[in-house]
Amino acid sequence: MLLSNKISVVSIISWMLLIVSHFIFVVPVSADTDRKAIMKYRQLWMEIKGQHNQAIRLLVKYQMAPNQLISHAETLAEMSDDMLFLFPPGSLGGGSRALPTIWDNNGKITRDFIMQTEIMRGESEKLVAIARAGNYKTIKKQLFTYASKACRGCHMRYRGED
Amino acid sequence: MRGIFLNIHSTAKVMLVLMLGLAVSAHALEIESVYETEIFTSEEFAHKRATTVGLDIDRGTFDIAIGEASVECPEDNFPKFKVLRIGINSYWLPNSVDAEDKMYSATVIYTINCDVARTSSSK
């Protein structure tokens, strides 16, 4: 066999593999697609919350735009209620850091995890009230309390390493 | 024809490598921060308070620093804290009359080191 023929055989085989792998990864069973989509959505959702926090942090640091600050806090409070939707049973693995202890043996979200989401709602509502009052020093304090109790509190319990 | 096949194949490989790079991209963040203590009647008291706060910061048990780290790098479960130095401020409050009334606070200057890892977005 000529060298050039060998190369073309190799490249055709690689192409076939590439095409086959496409079918494996792009057209999986639909339940798995849903699970992956919700996990991807969950990551984006978490990142968005993180960015609202950072936006508030910046506005506090430079003591600007109090109205913007209030709307970031309100958005965070509104987002609290989505939490349970983001964690359907079995939505873990495949690069997700969600720990299995979020669910009980029957696949139901545990009471303690629900409590973490309630802490998040409570602390973010406090943040809204304090943001409306407009004292930057107390806003900063509540932002840190909120991030530590609500965000970090849940992460330390239910988010592992990659 | 053969050449095109080979080229596209290697482009695919490059893209795969790029995508992998994106998936695991993480970078470290270092933030310098300051905590100011309450105001005291002597430098000594202010320094003492700052020393206690500093120990808590170093141990990672100081709430304000933890909250700050949770805002700055929400991806990292274990941010690290290190006290760099302690400073002293002096004040005369509005009702003070002489040097005896001078008041003091301390500032604890520290760093937060943490990882900013994006697993999903292109950052």
Side-chain angles (χ1 to χ4, degrees), chain A residues 4 7-8 11 14-15 40 43 47 51 53-54 57 97 144 147-148 152 155-156 159 161-162, chain B residues 2 5-6 8-9 12 64 66-68 70-72 74-79 118-121:
Chain A
S4 57
I7 291 174
S8 75
S11 67
S14 321
W15 265 100
K40 169 80 183 163
Q43 285 180 349
E47 281 167 19
Q51 286 178 350
N53 277 0
Q54 283 170 14
R57 170 86 177 107
R97 294 168 67 183
F144 289 170
S148 157
R152 184 180 161 83
H155 292 156
M156 290 305 278
R159 185 180 71 179
E161 296 303 301
D162 294 276
Chain B
R2 205 188 303 134
F5 267 135
L6 278 174
I8 296 177
H9 182 215
I64 292 172
I66 292 171
E68 192 177 10
S70 310
V71 172
E72 299 291 352
E75 295 88 356
D76 195 341
N77 276 3
F78 303 103
R118 294 268 186 243
T119 45
S120 60
S121 66

mmCIF file of all heavy atoms in Angstrom, chain A residues 4 7-8 11 14-15 40 43 47 51 53-54 57 97 144 147-148 152 155-156 159 161-162, chain B residues 2 5-6 8-9 12 64 66-68 70-72 74-79 118-121:
data_model
loop_
_atom_site.group_PDB
_atom_site.id
_atom_site.type_symbol
_atom_site.label_atom_id
_atom_site.label_comp_id
_atom_site.label_asym_id
_atom_site.label_seq_id
_atom_site.Cartn_x
_atom_site.Cartn_y
_atom_site.Cartn_z
ATOM 1 N N SER A 4 0.346 7.372 0.687
ATOM 2 C CA SER A 4 -0.793 8.285 0.532
ATOM 3 C C SER A 4 -2.122 7.543 0.666
ATOM 4 O O SER A 4 -3.089 8.067 1.195
ATOM 5 C CB SER A 4 -0.712 9.013 -0.810
ATOM 6 O OG SER A 4 -0.657 8.054 -1.834
ATOM 7 N N ILE A 7 -2.807 7.007 4.316
ATOM 8 C CA ILE A 7 -3.300 8.224 4.960
ATOM 9 C C ILE A 7 -4.780 8.433 4.671
ATOM 10 O O ILE A 7 -5.562 8.720 5.553
ATOM 11 C CB ILE A 7 -2.478 9.453 4.489
ATOM 12 C CG1 ILE A 7 -1.069 9.344 5.064
ATOM 13 C CG2 ILE A 7 -3.137 10.758 4.960
ATOM 14 C CD1 ILE A 7 -0.118 10.407 4.580
ATOM 15 N N SER A 8 -5.167 8.161 3.385
ATOM 16 C CA SER A 8 -6.578 8.421 3.077
ATOM 17 C C SER A 8 -7.480 7.430 3.791
ATOM 18 O O SER A 8 -8.564 7.779 4.226
ATOM 19 C CB SER A 8 -6.807 8.422 1.568
ATOM 20 O OG SER A 8 -6.774 7.113 1.101
ATOM 21 N N SER A 11 -7.790 8.684 7.268
ATOM 22 C CA SER A 11 -8.650 9.863 7.418
ATOM 23 C C SER A 11 -10.118 9.523 7.218
ATOM 24 O O SER A 11 -10.982 10.074 7.883
ATOM 25 C CB SER A 11 -8.201 10.988 6.491
ATOM 26 O OG SER A 11 -8.413 10.603 5.166
ATOM 27 N N SER A 14 -11.241 8.015 10.464
ATOM 28 C CA SER A 14 -11.420 9.060 11.479
ATOM 29 C C SER A 14 -12.726 9.804 11.241
ATOM 30 O O SER A 14 -13.447 10.124 12.185
ATOM 31 C CB SER A 14 -10.284 10.076 11.442
ATOM 32 O OG SER A 14 -9.075 9.438 11.211
ATOM 33 N N TRP A 15 -13.000 10.065 9.975
ATOM 34 C CA TRP A 15 -14.254 10.756 9.651
ATOM 35 C C TRP A 15 -15.452 9.957 10.075
ATOM 36 O O TRP A 15 -16.383 10.499 10.670
ATOM 37 C CB TRP A 15 -14.329 11.043 8.143
ATOM 38 C CG TRP A 15 -13.850 12.416 7.863
ATOM 39 C CD1 TRP A 15 -12.617 12.764 7.406
ATOM 40 C CD2 TRP A 15 -14.559 13.626 8.082
ATOM 41 N NE1 TRP A 15 -12.509 14.117 7.329
ATOM 42 C CE2 TRP A 15 -13.691 14.682 7.736
ATOM 43 C CE3 TRP A 15 -15.834 13.924 8.531
ATOM 44 C CZ2 TRP A 15 -14.056 16.009 7.836
ATOM 45 C CZ3 TRP A 15 -16.212 15.242 8.625
ATOM 46 C CH2 TRP A 15 -15.330 16.281 8.284
ATOM 47 N N LYS A 40 -27.169 22.294 32.671
ATOM 48 C CA LYS A 40 -26.527 23.431 32.004
ATOM 49 C C LYS A 40 -27.228 24.732 32.429
ATOM 50 O O LYS A 40 -26.590 25.730 32.772
ATOM 51 C CB LYS A 40 -26.624 23.223 30.483
ATOM 52 C CG LYS A 40 -26.241 24.404 29.643
ATOM 53 C CD LYS A 40 -24.745 24.539 29.507
ATOM 54 C CE LYS A 40 -24.407 25.787 28.704
ATOM 55 N NZ LYS A 40 -23.028 26.190 28.864
ATOM 56 N N GLN A 43 -26.297 25.772 35.913
ATOM 57 C CA GLN A 43 -24.994 26.449 36.014
ATOM 58 C C GLN A 43 -25.085 27.903 35.579
ATOM 59 O O GLN A 43 -24.546 28.788 36.227
ATOM 60 C CB GLN A 43 -23.952 25.716 35.171
ATOM 61 C CG GLN A 43 -23.514 24.422 35.829
ATOM 62 C CD GLN A 43 -22.486 23.673 35.006
ATOM 63 O OE1 GLN A 43 -22.244 23.998 33.850
ATOM 64 N NE2 GLN A 43 -21.881 22.663 35.599
ATOM 65 N N GLU A 47 -24.469 31.214 37.885
ATOM 66 C CA GLU A 47 -23.516 32.257 37.489
ATOM 67 C C GLU A 47 -24.189 33.627 37.432
ATOM 68 O O GLU A 47 -23.600 34.634 37.811
ATOM 69 C CB GLU A 47 -22.882 31.914 36.133
ATOM 70 C CG GLU A 47 -21.779 30.879 36.269
ATOM 71 C CD GLU A 47 -21.336 30.295 34.942
ATOM 72 O OE1 GLU A 47 -21.611 30.916 33.881
ATOM 73 O OE2 GLU A 47 -20.729 29.216 34.955
ATOM 74 N N GLN A 51 -23.296 37.031 39.408
ATOM 75 C CA GLN A 51 -23.009 38.315 38.772
ATOM 76 C C GLN A 51 -23.878 39.438 39.332
ATOM 77 O O GLN A 51 -23.428 40.570 39.413
ATOM 78 C CB GLN A 51 -23.101 38.174 37.259
ATOM 79 C CG GLN A 51 -21.869 37.404 36.793
ATOM 80 C CD GLN A 51 -21.806 37.114 35.337
ATOM 81 O OE1 GLN A 51 -22.785 37.326 34.615
ATOM 82 N NE2 GLN A 51 -20.679 36.616 34.898
ATOM 83 N N ASN A 53 -24.684 39.543 42.452
ATOM 84 C CA ASN A 53 -23.934 39.845 43.688
ATOM 85 C C ASN A 53 -22.760 40.773 43.401
ATOM 86 O O ASN A 53 -22.517 41.732 44.125
ATOM 87 C CB ASN A 53 -23.373 38.555 44.308
ATOM 88 C CG ASN A 53 -24.400 37.835 45.158
ATOM 89 O OD1 ASN A 53 -25.522 38.286 45.300
ATOM 90 N ND2 ASN A 53 -24.009 36.713 45.729
ATOM 91 N N GLN A 54 -22.020 40.448 42.332
ATOM 92 C CA GLN A 54 -20.846 41.265 42.011
ATOM 93 C C GLN A 54 -21.234 42.664 41.555
ATOM 94 O O GLN A 54 -20.535 43.634 41.830
ATOM 95 C CB GLN A 54 -19.973 40.550 40.981
ATOM 96 C CG GLN A 54 -19.162 39.445 41.647
ATOM 97 C CD GLN A 54 -18.455 38.531 40.677
ATOM 98 O OE1 GLN A 54 -18.329 38.840 39.497
ATOM 99 N NE2 GLN A 54 -17.991 37.399 41.181
ATOM 100 N N ARG A 57 -21.965 44.540 44.687
ATOM 101 C CA ARG A 57 -20.675 44.820 45.334
ATOM 102 C C ARG A 57 -20.006 46.065 44.716
ATOM 103 O O ARG A 57 -19.506 46.929 45.414
ATOM 104 C CB ARG A 57 -19.776 43.593 45.173
ATOM 105 C CG ARG A 57 -18.343 43.777 45.563
ATOM 106 C CD ARG A 57 -18.164 43.539 47.042
ATOM 107 N NE ARG A 57 -16.779 43.636 47.446
ATOM 108 C CZ ARG A 57 -16.292 44.654 48.141
ATOM 109 N NH1 ARG A 57 -17.073 45.652 48.490
ATOM 110 N NH2 ARG A 57 -15.026 44.670 48.505
ATOM 111 N N ARG A 97 -21.283 19.502 39.980
ATOM 112 C CA ARG A 97 -20.735 19.411 41.339
ATOM 113 C C ARG A 97 -21.824 19.125 42.369
ATOM 114 O O ARG A 97 -21.571 19.107 43.560
ATOM 115 C CB ARG A 97 -20.020 20.732 41.682
ATOM 116 C CG ARG A 97 -18.788 20.981 40.818
ATOM 117 C CD ARG A 97 -18.273 22.398 40.975
ATOM 118 N NE ARG A 97 -17.740 22.643 42.311
ATOM 119 C CZ ARG A 97 -17.283 23.839 42.714
ATOM 120 N NH1 ARG A 97 -17.313 24.859 41.898
ATOM 121 N NH2 ARG A 97 -16.806 23.994 43.928
ATOM 122 N N PHE A 144 -22.718 40.694 52.295
ATOM 123 C CA PHE A 144 -21.768 39.663 52.731
ATOM 124 C C PHE A 144 -22.449 38.588 53.573
ATOM 125 O O PHE A 144 -22.166 37.397 53.428
ATOM 126 C CB PHE A 144 -20.616 40.300 53.512
ATOM 127 C CG PHE A 144 -19.678 41.111 52.644
ATOM 128 C CD1 PHE A 144 -18.703 41.916 53.212
ATOM 129 C CD2 PHE A 144 -19.758 41.056 51.266
ATOM 130 C CE1 PHE A 144 -17.833 42.655 52.415
ATOM 131 C CE2 PHE A 144 -18.893 41.798 50.457
ATOM 132 C CZ PHE A 144 -17.935 42.598 51.043
ATOM 133 N N ALA A 147 -24.416 36.462 51.126
ATOM 134 C CA ALA A 147 -23.557 35.583 50.313
ATOM 135 C C ALA A 147 -22.999 34.439 51.153
ATOM 136 O O ALA A 147 -22.861 33.315 50.678
ATOM 137 C CB ALA A 147 -22.430 36.384 49.685
ATOM 138 N N SER A 148 -22.705 34.757 52.417
ATOM 139 C CA SER A 148 -22.097 33.737 53.269
ATOM 140 C C SER A 148 -23.136 32.734 53.757
ATOM 141 O O SER A 148 -22.944 31.520 53.669
ATOM 142 C CB SER A 148 -21.381 34.467 54.406
ATOM 143 O OG SER A 148 -21.235 33.639 55.490
ATOM 144 N N ARG A 152 -22.917 30.468 50.278
ATOM 145 C CA ARG A 152 -21.878 29.579 50.769
ATOM 146 C C ARG A 152 -22.451 28.477 51.664
ATOM 147 O O ARG A 152 -22.004 27.324 51.620
ATOM 148 C CB ARG A 152 -20.835 30.391 51.542
ATOM 149 C CG ARG A 152 -19.671 29.556 52.012
ATOM 150 C CD ARG A 152 -18.655 30.398 52.765
ATOM 151 N NE ARG A 152 -17.795 29.566 53.565
ATOM 152 C CZ ARG A 152 -16.738 28.945 53.100
ATOM 153 N NH1 ARG A 152 -16.423 29.071 51.827
ATOM 154 N NH2 ARG A 152 -16.013 28.189 53.878
ATOM 155 N N HIS A 155 -23.542 25.788 49.448
ATOM 156 C CA HIS A 155 -22.423 25.198 48.704
ATOM 157 C C HIS A 155 -21.586 24.266 49.575
ATOM 158 O O HIS A 155 -21.127 23.225 49.128
ATOM 159 C CB HIS A 155 -21.524 26.300 48.111
ATOM 160 C CG HIS A 155 -22.204 27.083 47.032
ATOM 161 N ND1 HIS A 155 -21.842 28.369 46.696
ATOM 162 C CD2 HIS A 155 -23.245 26.758 46.221
ATOM 163 C CE1 HIS A 155 -22.636 28.796 45.719
ATOM 164 N NE2 HIS A 155 -23.491 27.836 45.421
ATOM 165 N N MET A 156 -21.369 24.673 50.838
ATOM 166 C CA MET A 156 -20.548 23.843 51.716
ATOM 167 C C MET A 156 -21.227 22.493 51.993
ATOM 168 O O MET A 156 -20.574 21.495 52.198
ATOM 169 C CB MET A 156 -20.289 24.558 53.053
ATOM 170 C CG MET A 156 -19.365 25.753 52.931
ATOM 171 S SD MET A 156 -17.785 25.353 52.169
ATOM 172 C CE MET A 156 -16.905 24.681 53.575
ATOM 173 N N ARG A 159 -22.432 21.183 47.480
ATOM 174 C CA ARG A 159 -21.635 21.305 46.255
ATOM 175 C C ARG A 159 -20.249 20.764 46.526
ATOM 176 O O ARG A 159 -19.534 21.268 47.389
ATOM 177 C CB ARG A 159 -21.564 22.763 45.802
ATOM 178 C CG ARG A 159 -20.847 22.923 44.458
ATOM 179 C CD ARG A 159 -20.765 24.368 44.013
ATOM 180 N NE ARG A 159 -19.831 25.131 44.840
ATOM 181 C CZ ARG A 159 -19.556 26.420 44.661
ATOM 182 N NH1 ARG A 159 -20.159 27.093 43.704
ATOM 183 N NH2 ARG A 159 -18.702 27.025 45.445
ATOM 184 N N GLU A 161 -16.373 19.188 44.917
ATOM 185 C CA GLU A 161 -15.379 19.703 43.976
ATOM 186 C C GLU A 161 -15.659 19.074 42.618
ATOM 187 O O GLU A 161 -16.431 18.142 42.502
ATOM 188 C CB GLU A 161 -13.971 19.365 44.459
ATOM 189 C CG GLU A 161 -13.620 20.044 45.779
ATOM 190 C CD GLU A 161 -13.743 21.573 45.737
ATOM 191 O OE1 GLU A 161 -13.065 22.188 44.911
ATOM 192 O OE2 GLU A 161 -14.524 22.123 46.515
ATOM 193 N N ASP A 162 -15.016 19.605 41.560
ATOM 194 C CA ASP A 162 -15.269 19.074 40.213
ATOM 195 C C ASP A 162 -14.897 17.601 40.114
ATOM 196 O O ASP A 162 -13.943 17.181 40.693
ATOM 197 C CB ASP A 162 -14.450 19.855 39.174
ATOM 198 C CG ASP A 162 -14.931 21.288 39.096
ATOM 199 O OD1 ASP A 162 -15.906 21.524 38.370
ATOM 200 O OD2 ASP A 162 -14.333 22.134 39.777
ATOM 201 N N ARG B 2 -8.010 14.380 -1.048
ATOM 202 C CA ARG B 2 -7.428 13.761 0.148
ATOM 203 C C ARG B 2 -6.932 14.849 1.105
ATOM 204 O O ARG B 2 -7.136 14.795 2.306
ATOM 205 C CB ARG B 2 -6.271 12.868 -0.274
ATOM 206 C CG ARG B 2 -5.976 11.762 0.706
ATOM 207 C CD ARG B 2 -4.705 11.063 0.295
ATOM 208 N NE ARG B 2 -4.764 10.526 -1.049
ATOM 209 C CZ ARG B 2 -3.788 10.681 -1.938
ATOM 210 N NH1 ARG B 2 -2.701 11.361 -1.639
ATOM 211 N NH2 ARG B 2 -3.891 10.162 -3.129
ATOM 212 N N PHE B 5 -9.668 16.403 3.166
ATOM 213 C CA PHE B 5 -10.052 15.509 4.260
ATOM 214 C C PHE B 5 -9.126 15.698 5.451
ATOM 215 O O PHE B 5 -9.553 15.900 6.574
ATOM 216 C CB PHE B 5 -9.968 14.039 3.797
ATOM 217 C CG PHE B 5 -11.278 13.525 3.285
ATOM 218 C CD1 PHE B 5 -11.347 12.796 2.109
ATOM 219 C CD2 PHE B 5 -12.460 13.766 3.991
ATOM 220 C CE1 PHE B 5 -12.548 12.320 1.636
ATOM 221 C CE2 PHE B 5 -13.662 13.283 3.531
ATOM 222 C CZ PHE B 5 -13.712 12.563 2.339
ATOM 223 N N LEU B 6 -7.826 15.629 5.147
ATOM 224 C CA LEU B 6 -6.835 15.721 6.224
ATOM 225 C C LEU B 6 -6.941 17.057 6.949
ATOM 226 O O LEU B 6 -6.915 17.118 8.161
ATOM 227 C CB LEU B 6 -5.424 15.551 5.656
ATOM 228 C CG LEU B 6 -4.995 14.094 5.439
ATOM 229 C CD1 LEU B 6 -3.657 14.052 4.735
ATOM 230 C CD2 LEU B 6 -4.955 13.351 6.770
ATOM 231 N N ILE B 8 -9.540 19.166 7.198
ATOM 232 C CA ILE B 8 -10.733 19.313 8.030
ATOM 233 C C ILE B 8 -10.568 18.490 9.311
ATOM 234 O O ILE B 8 -10.896 18.927 10.394
ATOM 235 C CB ILE B 8 -12.005 18.883 7.266
ATOM 236 C CG1 ILE B 8 -12.208 19.830 6.094
ATOM 237 C CG2 ILE B 8 -13.217 18.919 8.176
ATOM 238 C CD1 ILE B 8 -13.372 19.497 5.214
ATOM 239 N N HIS B 9 -9.970 17.319 9.127
ATOM 240 C CA HIS B 9 -9.780 16.460 10.286
ATOM 241 C C HIS B 9 -8.915 17.153 11.340
ATOM 242 O O HIS B 9 -9.251 17.176 12.511
ATOM 243 C CB HIS B 9 -9.139 15.149 9.836
ATOM 244 C CG HIS B 9 -8.959 14.184 10.956
ATOM 245 N ND1 HIS B 9 -7.896 13.330 11.028
ATOM 246 C CD2 HIS B 9 -9.695 13.969 12.061
ATOM 247 C CE1 HIS B 9 -7.990 12.621 12.138
ATOM 248 N NE2 HIS B 9 -9.082 12.986 12.783
ATOM 249 N N ALA B 12 -10.799 19.821 13.124
ATOM 250 C CA ALA B 12 -11.672 19.248 14.147
ATOM 251 C C ALA B 12 -10.877 18.965 15.422
ATOM 252 O O ALA B 12 -11.341 19.211 16.529
ATOM 253 C CB ALA B 12 -12.314 17.963 13.630
ATOM 254 N N ILE B 64 -17.078 38.530 57.829
ATOM 255 C CA ILE B 64 -17.067 39.553 56.776
ATOM 256 C C ILE B 64 -16.169 39.125 55.618
ATOM 257 O O ILE B 64 -16.544 39.226 54.446
ATOM 258 C CB ILE B 64 -16.628 40.908 57.359
ATOM 259 C CG1 ILE B 64 -17.733 41.399 58.310
ATOM 260 C CG2 ILE B 64 -16.355 41.931 56.256
ATOM 261 C CD1 ILE B 64 -17.377 42.619 59.113
ATOM 262 N N ILE B 66 -15.328 36.082 54.861
ATOM 263 C CA ILE B 66 -15.939 34.925 54.193
ATOM 264 C C ILE B 66 -17.030 35.390 53.229
ATOM 265 O O ILE B 66 -17.116 34.927 52.087
ATOM 266 C CB ILE B 66 -16.539 33.947 55.227
ATOM 267 C CG1 ILE B 66 -15.415 33.296 56.034
ATOM 268 C CG2 ILE B 66 -17.369 32.871 54.540
ATOM 269 C CD1 ILE B 66 -15.908 32.482 57.202
ATOM 270 N N GLY B 67 -17.851 36.346 53.697
ATOM 271 C CA GLY B 67 -18.916 36.884 52.849
ATOM 272 C C GLY B 67 -18.344 37.534 51.601
ATOM 273 O O GLY B 67 -18.833 37.336 50.489
ATOM 274 N N GLU B 68 -17.276 38.287 51.805
ATOM 275 C CA GLU B 68 -16.616 38.959 50.693
ATOM 276 C C GLU B 68 -16.102 37.938 49.668
ATOM 277 O O GLU B 68 -16.308 38.085 48.461
ATOM 278 C CB GLU B 68 -15.446 39.760 51.258
ATOM 279 C CG GLU B 68 -14.844 40.734 50.306
ATOM 280 C CD GLU B 68 -13.739 41.533 50.983
ATOM 281 O OE1 GLU B 68 -13.341 41.189 52.122
ATOM 282 O OE2 GLU B 68 -13.277 42.502 50.371
ATOM 283 N N SER B 70 -17.248 34.990 49.231
ATOM 284 C CA SER B 70 -18.403 34.337 48.588
ATOM 285 C C SER B 70 -18.957 35.181 47.450
ATOM 286 O O SER B 70 -19.521 34.644 46.504
ATOM 287 C CB SER B 70 -19.521 34.079 49.600
ATOM 288 O OG SER B 70 -19.030 33.439 50.743
ATOM 289 N N VAL B 71 -18.787 36.500 47.557
ATOM 290 C CA VAL B 71 -19.237 37.367 46.462
ATOM 291 C C VAL B 71 -18.212 37.360 45.331
ATOM 292 O O VAL B 71 -18.553 37.228 44.162
ATOM 293 C CB VAL B 71 -19.460 38.812 46.951
ATOM 294 C CG1 VAL B 71 -19.734 39.750 45.781
ATOM 295 C CG2 VAL B 71 -20.621 38.870 47.939
ATOM 296 N N GLU B 72 -16.939 37.495 45.704
ATOM 297 C CA GLU B 72 -15.887 37.625 44.686
ATOM 298 C C GLU B 72 -15.636 36.330 43.918
ATOM 299 O O GLU B 72 -15.321 36.367 42.742
ATOM 300 C CB GLU B 72 -14.568 38.099 45.324
ATOM 301 C CG GLU B 72 -14.657 39.460 45.991
ATOM 302 C CD GLU B 72 -14.835 40.621 44.993
ATOM 303 O OE1 GLU B 72 -14.748 40.393 43.784
ATOM 304 O OE2 GLU B 72 -15.072 41.753 45.467
ATOM 305 N N PRO B 74 -17.694 32.953 43.894
ATOM 306 C CA PRO B 74 -18.723 32.015 44.342
ATOM 307 C C PRO B 74 -18.469 30.565 43.915
ATOM 308 O O PRO B 74 -19.107 29.655 44.424
ATOM 309 C CB PRO B 74 -20.002 32.551 43.684
ATOM 310 C CG PRO B 74 -19.552 33.352 42.527
ATOM 311 C CD PRO B 74 -18.235 33.937 42.929
ATOM 312 N N GLU B 75 -17.519 30.364 43.005
ATOM 313 C CA GLU B 75 -17.252 28.997 42.541
ATOM 314 C C GLU B 75 -16.388 28.219 43.526
ATOM 315 O O GLU B 75 -16.348 26.999 43.490
ATOM 316 C CB GLU B 75 -16.511 29.005 41.194
ATOM 317 C CG GLU B 75 -17.309 29.583 40.039
ATOM 318 C CD GLU B 75 -17.128 31.099 39.921
ATOM 319 O OE1 GLU B 75 -16.450 31.692 40.784
ATOM 320 O OE2 GLU B 75 -17.695 31.672 38.975
ATOM 321 N N ASP B 76 -15.657 28.950 44.386
ATOM 322 C CA ASP B 76 -14.655 28.292 45.226
ATOM 323 C C ASP B 76 -15.211 28.003 46.621
ATOM 324 O O ASP B 76 -15.612 28.907 47.340
ATOM 325 C CB ASP B 76 -13.422 29.209 45.328
ATOM 326 C CG ASP B 76 -12.204 28.470 45.867
ATOM 327 O OD1 ASP B 76 -12.380 27.399 46.480
ATOM 328 O OD2 ASP B 76 -11.081 28.971 45.679
ATOM 329 N N ASN B 77 -15.235 26.722 46.995
ATOM 330 C CA ASN B 77 -15.689 26.348 48.346
ATOM 331 C C ASN B 77 -14.664 26.705 49.415
ATOM 332 O O ASN B 77 -14.999 26.862 50.574
ATOM 333 C CB ASN B 77 -15.957 24.845 48.424
ATOM 334 C CG ASN B 77 -17.349 24.463 47.931
ATOM 335 O OD1 ASN B 77 -18.101 25.321 47.469
ATOM 336 N ND2 ASN B 77 -17.682 23.196 48.023
ATOM 337 N N PHE B 78 -13.387 26.778 49.033
ATOM 338 C CA PHE B 78 -12.339 26.972 50.040
ATOM 339 C C PHE B 78 -11.381 28.117 49.726
ATOM 340 O O PHE B 78 -10.210 27.893 49.434
ATOM 341 C CB PHE B 78 -11.544 25.666 50.237
ATOM 342 C CG PHE B 78 -12.413 24.510 50.636
ATOM 343 C CD1 PHE B 78 -12.764 23.535 49.715
ATOM 344 C CD2 PHE B 78 -12.897 24.403 51.937
ATOM 345 C CE1 PHE B 78 -13.589 22.463 50.073
ATOM 346 C CE2 PHE B 78 -13.726 23.350 52.298
ATOM 347 C CZ PHE B 78 -14.067 22.376 51.366
ATOM 348 N N PRO B 79 -11.871 29.359 49.797
ATOM 349 C CA PRO B 79 -10.967 30.494 49.590
ATOM 350 C C PRO B 79 -9.948 30.573 50.729
ATOM 351 O O PRO B 79 -10.211 30.055 51.823
ATOM 352 C CB PRO B 79 -11.908 31.704 49.624
ATOM 353 C CG PRO B 79 -13.108 31.251 50.366
ATOM 354 C CD PRO B 79 -13.238 29.781 50.120
ATOM 355 N N ARG B 118 -14.898 28.614 35.541
ATOM 356 C CA ARG B 118 -16.134 28.594 34.781
ATOM 357 C C ARG B 118 -16.228 27.256 34.094
ATOM 358 O O ARG B 118 -15.417 26.938 33.237
ATOM 359 C CB ARG B 118 -16.134 29.713 33.736
ATOM 360 C CG ARG B 118 -16.159 31.079 34.365
ATOM 361 C CD ARG B 118 -17.580 31.542 34.522
ATOM 362 N NE ARG B 118 -17.626 32.899 34.998
ATOM 363 C CZ ARG B 118 -18.164 33.230 36.171
ATOM 364 N NH1 ARG B 118 -18.645 32.317 36.967
ATOM 365 N NH2 ARG B 118 -18.214 34.488 36.535
ATOM 366 N N THR B 119 -17.234 26.481 34.438
ATOM 367 C CA THR B 119 -17.346 25.176 33.812
ATOM 368 C C THR B 119 -18.252 25.208 32.595
ATOM 369 O O THR B 119 -18.191 24.359 31.755
ATOM 370 C CB THR B 119 -17.890 24.133 34.806
ATOM 371 O OG1 THR B 119 -18.985 24.717 35.499
ATOM 372 C CG2 THR B 119 -16.806 23.705 35.769
ATOM 373 N N SER B 120 -19.098 26.225 32.493
ATOM 374 C CA SER B 120 -20.054 26.181 31.393
ATOM 375 C C SER B 120 -19.889 27.312 30.387
ATOM 376 O O SER B 120 -20.008 27.109 29.206
ATOM 377 C CB SER B 120 -21.481 26.196 31.940
ATOM 378 O OG SER B 120 -21.683 27.375 32.680
ATOM 379 N N SER B 121 -19.628 28.523 30.867
ATOM 380 C CA SER B 121 -19.635 29.636 29.917
ATOM 381 C C SER B 121 -18.255 29.878 29.328
ATOM 382 O O SER B 121 -17.261 29.397 29.831
ATOM 383 C CB SER B 121 -20.126 30.895 30.602
ATOM 384 O OG SER B 121 -19.214 31.299 31.590
#
